[in-house]
Amino acid sequence: MKGTTRKEEIITVASRLFEEKGFTAVSVRDIAQEMGIKAASLYNHISSKQEILSSLILKLARDFTKGMEQVQQAGASPLEKVKALIELHIDITVNHSEALAALNNDWMHLQGQDLIDFVQMREDYEENFRNIIKEGIELGQIKPHHPEVILFSILSTLRTLYLWYQKRGKLDVNVLKKDMSEVLLHGIT
Amino acid sequence: MKGTTRKEEIITVASRLFEEKGFTAVSVRDIAQEMGIKAASLYNHISSKQEILSSLILKLARDFTKGMEQVQQAGASPLEKVKALIELHIDITVNHSEALAALNNDWMHLQGQDLIDFVQMREDYEENFRNIIKEGIELGQIKPHHPEVILFSILSTLRTLYLWYQKRGKLDVNVLKKDMSEVLLHGIT
DNA sequence: ACACAAAACTAACGATTGTTAGTTAGATAT
DNA sequence: ATATCTAACTAACAATCGTTAGTTTTGTGT
């Protein structure tokens, strides 16, 4: 691959394995074997197994944080912001579906400052999302249900989209965005 | 506890630890320590660490399968069936929120026939759910979106409900059922 | 041809893993 | 009292874990 460092290759291979079995169940020997080298050789490129996990997760978490900032600054209506967030999740899912498994299932294996930073970003993201929903309710754009139920319903669907996107033969992104927005915003009945 | 065997205690303690760190990251020594005994003593009650996982997961999976059968036999309309399934998930979540983490995140660590059985039950469950949605569309009770998008949207929300139910102070079950049905079926706008 | 850096290798380390064997303490039943 | 059963214990096992040290191979630029 062009422009791909060996380190990035390792992280890509590892994320695929992490998705299958989880961070703890994947040994560095598993990762090495998948790359056709010995386990010790990995350490010419990475400093620890932990580093693979944290660079994987934190990079993605920053993508979500950046996306949320852009949505906030766009100065749109609450409902348009929710739509934009749905599209943000879909874009990231399409481009990093393997890494999302680690973010969802293995974030608790982060250590030290990495763990603190991740949890902070995650809480901030949810809080921002919640506030958008509350604004939408105040403006009458969103039904006056408990904001927490609405937030959870949308977010849990978007967060596990990666599981489902791979299984069904990777359909068109724009169609997916349209269908998901329809179902999540306007319901099924 | 009355009527609770030592084996059941072990499984309960283990499921709580599995939820925190995942099956692979929890050692039998962790489980033993949490029970105030030594690791070897566990083996007076269980035959292996695997047995804890499989009895935990398969029991829950059978609950879902049984629930689906009852819903099918009830002879209600498709929309009422979906409502009944939402309530089924909520009931199971309220009563077994810790074990649901293992079912969702660690099922791939099942081995042999247990793994085969679980995957089969899961596929059957999804197929039944999908057919109910299709019937609902044919009868005009459900909007004619792609059934797969509707199925995924509802199911991913219900499957991760355990994550959210614990965090928010365990609110009333009947209120939860009403709110969830409203949001999932009729949307937020 | 030579030097240098990148990236692989072998070998081994201490720690931890799930599990087994054999034994002992405490309660219950005969 | 004696036997039985349950449930704990200590000690150890082979396997695997992440990681390090030191060495060799491979490719590139001069």
Side-chain angles (χ1 to χ4, degrees):
Chain A
M1 302 182 203
K2 208 54 163 307
T4 329
T5 71
R6 202 85 172 109
K7 179 170 178 174
E8 287 168 336
E9 278 186 63
I10 292 173
I11 293 176
T12 300
V13 165
S15 66
R16 199 175 59 236
L17 294 176
F18 292 166
E19 177 175 27
E20 280 177 32
K21 309 199 292 175
F23 173 72
T24 319
V26 174
S27 71
V28 292
R29 285 170 178 83
D30 291 335
I31 300 170
Q33 190 177 40
E34 194 75 7
M35 298 205 58
I37 62 178
K38 298 291 176 180
S41 305
L42 291 174
Y43 288 82
N44 285 318
H45 310 283
I46 58 162
S47 65
S48 69
K49 189 191 176 192
Q50 270 289 320
E51 190 203 356
I52 300 177
L53 186 70
S54 62
S55 71
L56 199 65
I57 292 181
L58 288 180
K59 197 150 79 75
L60 260 189
R62 279 190 284 266
D63 284 349
F64 278 111
T65 299
K66 256 180 247 164
M68 176 63 84
E69 285 170 3
Q70 286 173 5
V71 168
Q72 298 278 35
Q73 291 165 1
S77 78
L79 199 56
E80 286 168 333
K81 285 181 182 173
V82 174
K83 255 185 217 170
L85 288 174
I86 292 174
E87 295 185 0
L88 171 67
H89 276 264
I90 292 177
D91 282 332
I92 293 181
T93 298
V94 167
N95 294 317
H96 308 93
S97 61
E98 297 95 0
L100 278 169
L103 181 134
N104 271 302
N105 304 320
D106 290 318
W107 62 267
M108 73 283 282
H109 298 118
L110 291 172
Q111 291 177 349
Q113 192 63 41
D114 288 338
L115 179 58
I116 295 173
D117 289 347
F118 174 80
V119 171
Q120 186 66 56
M121 279 193 278
R122 183 154 169 138
E123 284 174 0
D124 289 348
Y125 188 87
E126 288 183 7
E127 180 64 13
N128 286 329
F129 211 138
R130 189 167 14 240
N131 285 335
I132 292 173
I133 290 172
K134 284 180 183 170
E135 288 172 33
I137 294 175
E138 286 170 13
L139 293 180
Q141 291 188 325
I142 296 178
K143 286 184 187 167
H145 288 123
H146 197 216
E148 205 64 25
V149 176
I150 296 175
L151 171 66
F152 161 71
S153 164
I154 295 178
L155 211 41
S156 63
T157 299
L158 295 177
R159 279 178 174 163
T160 54
L161 179 57
Y162 75 97
L163 282 173
W164 175 81
Y165 173 70
Q166 302 169 314
K167 214 162 40 175
R168 325 293 159 198
K170 309 212 172 190
L171 33 80
D172 183 76
V173 182
N174 289 321
V175 174
L176 184 57
K177 284 180 180 176
K178 192 160 170 298
D179 287 358
M180 287 293 300
S181 297
E182 274 291 322
V183 171
L184 288 179
L185 297 180
H186 306 122
I188 67 172
T189 59
Chain B
M1 300 181 202
K2 207 57 162 306
T4 329
T5 71
R6 203 82 172 112
K7 179 171 177 173
E8 287 167 336
E9 278 186 63
I10 292 173
I11 293 176
T12 301
V13 166
S15 67
R16 200 175 57 236
L17 294 177
F18 291 165
E19 178 175 26
E20 281 176 31
K21 310 198 295 174
F23 173 73
T24 319
V26 174
S27 71
V28 293
R29 285 169 179 84
D30 291 335
I31 300 170
Q33 190 177 40
E34 194 76 6
M35 297 205 59
I37 62 178
K38 298 291 176 179
S41 305
L42 291 174
Y43 287 83
N44 285 320
H45 310 283
I46 58 161
S47 65
S48 68
K49 189 191 176 191
Q50 270 290 318
E51 190 203 356
I52 300 178
L53 186 71
S54 62
S55 70
L56 198 66
I57 292 182
L58 289 180
K59 196 150 82 72
L60 261 190
R62 280 189 283 266
D63 284 349
F64 278 111
T65 299
K66 257 180 244 163
M68 175 63 84
E69 285 170 3
Q70 286 173 5
V71 168
Q72 298 277 35
Q73 290 165 1
S77 79
L79 198 57
E80 286 168 334
K81 285 181 182 173
V82 173
K83 253 184 219 170
L85 288 174
I86 291 173
E87 294 184 359
L88 170 67
H89 275 263
I90 291 177
D91 283 332
I92 293 180
T93 298
V94 167
N95 293 318
H96 308 93
S97 62
E98 298 96 0
L100 278 169
L103 183 133
N104 271 303
N105 304 321
D106 290 319
W107 62 267
M108 72 285 282
H109 298 117
L110 292 172
Q111 291 177 348
Q113 192 62 42
D114 288 337
L115 179 58
I116 295 173
D117 289 347
F118 173 80
V119 172
Q120 186 66 57
M121 280 193 278
R122 183 154 169 138
E123 284 175 0
D124 288 349
Y125 188 88
E126 288 182 8
E127 181 64 14
N128 286 328
F129 211 139
R130 189 167 16 239
N131 285 334
I132 292 173
I133 290 172
K134 284 181 184 171
E135 289 172 31
I137 294 176
E138 285 170 14
L139 293 178
Q141 290 187 327
I142 297 177
K143 286 184 189 167
H145 288 122
H146 198 289
E148 205 64 24
V149 175
I150 295 176
L151 171 66
F152 162 72
S153 164
I154 295 178
L155 211 41
S156 64
T157 300
L158 295 177
R159 279 177 173 163
T160 54
L161 180 56
Y162 75 97
L163 283 172
W164 174 80
Y165 173 72
Q166 301 168 315
K167 213 160 42 173
R168 324 294 160 196
K170 308 212 175 192
L171 34 80
D172 183 76
V173 183
N174 290 321
V175 174
L176 184 58
K177 284 180 180 175
K178 192 160 172 298
D179 287 357
M180 286 292 301
S181 297
E182 274 291 322
V183 171
L184 289 180
L185 297 180
H186 306 123
I188 68 172
T189 59

